[in-house]
Amino acid sequence: MPAYLIVETDVTDPEQYEHYKAASPGAVAAGGGRFLVRGGEMEVLEGEWSPKRLVVLEFEDLEAAKRFYESDEYRAAKKLREGAARFNMVAVEGL
């Protein structure tokens, strides 16, 4: 069953964050994932949740999503965003 990483991002240093944006696609691909959403325009339809930026990644299953998150490639990418953004991230199984 596929799994999805849903990431809410608040970018605090756009220049530094560009380094992370450049490195993360390679880490995602190496982990077997793919971007479904990467910071496009959004509109709140219900409730009070107003994320500044959303990213949605798809993986083969929940274990693959967790392996990606714990991978050396993604750890290296995460270092590039230190001090540049605040993240909230969840992994969820799909249908």
Side-chain angles (χ1 to χ4, degrees), residues 59-70:
F59 290 88
E60 180 180 332
D61 55 28
L62 193 55
E63 289 305 313
K66 291 191 286 188
R67 279 192 306 274
F68 154 76
Y69 183 77
E70 296 166 356

Side-chain angles (χ1 to χ4, degrees), residues 10-19 80-86:
D10 182 9
V11 177
T12 56
D13 183 341
E15 187 175 316
Q16 178 67 25
Y17 189 73
E18 287 300 317
H19 299 288
L80 297 173
R81 75 167 199 239
E82 288 178 4
R86 291 184 289 274

Side-chain angles (χ1 to χ4, degrees), residues 18-91:
E18 287 300 317
H19 299 288
Y20 171 76
K21 280 177 51 180
S24 64
V28 170
R34 69 183 184 115
F35 286 94
L36 298 179
V37 173
R38 192 173 187 199
E41 184 178 339
M42 72 183 120
E43 186 171 328
V44 176
L45 299 178
E46 188 171 331
E48 297 180 27
W49 185 36
S50 296
K52 296 188 188 301
R53 178 179 170 83
L54 282 176
V55 176
V56 179
L57 303 169
E58 181 180 48
F59 290 88
E60 180 180 332
D61 55 28
L62 193 55
E63 289 305 313
K66 291 191 286 188
R67 279 192 306 274
F68 154 76
Y69 183 77
E70 296 166 356
S71 71
D72 291 339
E73 293 88 348
Y74 189 60
R75 271 188 218 147
K78 283 194 306 186
K79 285 187 181 211
L80 297 173
R81 75 167 199 239
E82 288 178 4
R86 291 184 289 274
F87 272 50
N88 290 308
M89 182 184 304
V90 298

